[in-house]
Amino acid sequence: MLQRTIRRLAIAFLCLVAGGAKSFELTEIAPGVFAHQGVTALMSRDNLGGIANLGAIVGAEAVAVIDTGGSRAEGEAFLAALQQRTTKPIRYVIDTHVHPDHIFGNIAFRDTGAVFVGHKNLARAMAARGPHYLSSFREAMGALLDDVILVPPTLTVERETILDLGGRKITLKAWRTAHSDSDLTVLDSQSGTLFTGDLLFLQHVPIVDGSLLGFLSVIEELRKIEAVRVVPGHGPAVAPWPQALEAQKAYLDHLTRDLRADIAKGETLARAVTTAGRGEKPNWLLFEDYHTRNATAGFAELEWEAP
Amino acid sequence: MVAALCLSAGAALAQEQKIDPWPGLVTDIFHDRPIASHEGVVALEAPKRAEDAAIVPMTISLLAPGLRAATLVIDENPMPMAAAFSFGEGAGVTKIETRVRVNSYTNVHVVSQTGDGALHSVVKFVKASGGCSAPAIKDQDEASANLGKMKYRELPSENPALREAQIMIRHPNNSGLQMDPLTRAYIPAHYVDKVEVRQGDALIFSMEGGISLSEDPSFRFAYKPNGAKVMRVEARDNQGNVFKGEWPIGGAS
């Protein structure tokens, strides 16, 4: 037992050194607004789970962090990089939703004194899914998960909440079930920068872990937000707004159209998911990793609207 | 080098815990009765990889005539017996498709009983994919709000002597394995544990099941029509709720 613990610690250390050697890039995309681009890949030991885009907004008095990364190691690298850019205290750590690549790094920020902020459903979603995430990502992440503890929000957003960073107010908005059932966006009106979390995917195929129809309707709502640039949950760290929504909308529309046609014909779930929306394949990375799952969840959802 | 070390450690950890649960399940569910594995009695269609681990389609085909029961077992799940189907006499059920949750890499067994009481099984191996697919409810509020709503669909049948239909039931099928973050108490299990489907008064099938069935349980089946004009469904859950549905059978004579 002890031997195994020592071995795990040694592996954890090696993994940290290997990961730590890579520098954590944090780019100032607008005055006082920082973004980090995750790699478009599945979470793994090699990338420290660092697949999601992360961000930070710096006001006159304080800092808000937006998502913390896919492991404690990534969270720590983010914190260190941020402290190179500003000495102001981190007042808020905002989780855009429950998925591991966005929240596993929370633990690295626990001792900063920051208030953890999330959608009203986030704590419930963490409780319901957390243990499963920690066990199911063990194979891909190994010892990197040993020191991940999920940190739930203490400040929750029912609909809309404005946070003041000192001369800079940011607007947090909680959405109906779309990508997940805990999606939250962050808007910095001062710079015109919107952080969507995974309500927007670029290049990385969109993931529907909430509701296909909800996702499509939220896209139309998002479109109305006044901003000039967006930091999506995955893909390039920054993109023009709202044009960045179009590819994702086309994907979700295509999938919905195909699934509805299959359901109307009486096709079975098992067969429909092998064909629906597959014409979108050339447009996306990681298509084979997520597309069939989107089709499966979408079929089960759309079946209820059929006559 | 480092990556290789990490990988091999992961593999070693995975291997340490590997014990085949099937012999124990044969004892618990089938009371150690002998189970043959002849081809041609019953077949199972399951995906090699569970794309959405919360919604994994499973199709049981009843190949031998007169089969009266089929039990679907997800070996590695916390509650392995997913669904035990009994088929009405003369109902002529040849196929039944349902959806299950798959917790991890697992064997899935179907055990069917022939007229002489002998048990026959088939087995498929299913990989549950990683990613952020938790076998969890996608929208917990909606799941509670719609509890017990049902839907009936008639579908094209490949065999003109048979009809094909689908029964869907809105239910979260809570596992009882989730902890409330505030009270630290487990959220009580809440799942559909019995379903009966009849054409007129005649039973097509009944099912006893548990938390391995997906949220919003669905059953699609092929059966022999008896001229009845209504499809009747009664479902119960483990908290004593009873849900009933009744629909006209389209084009019934």
Side-chain angles (χ1 to χ4, degrees), chain B residues 40-45 58-64 67 70 87 93-97 110 112 122:
Chain B
V41 175
V42 63
L44 172 66
E45 192 186 315
M58 296 277 165
T59 305
I60 299 168
S61 295
L62 305 161
L63 306 172
L67 293 179
F87 305 105
V93 176
T94 54
K95 185 175 76 174
I96 190 156
E97 181 197 274
V110 171
S112 189
V122 285

Side-chain angles (χ1 to χ4, degrees), chain B residues 47-71:
Chain B
K48 289 194 174 70
R49 191 179 119 160
E51 299 284 354
D52 183 331
I55 309 169
V56 186
M58 296 277 165
T59 305
I60 299 168
S61 295
L62 305 161
L63 306 172
L67 293 179
R68 297 293 300 277
T71 302

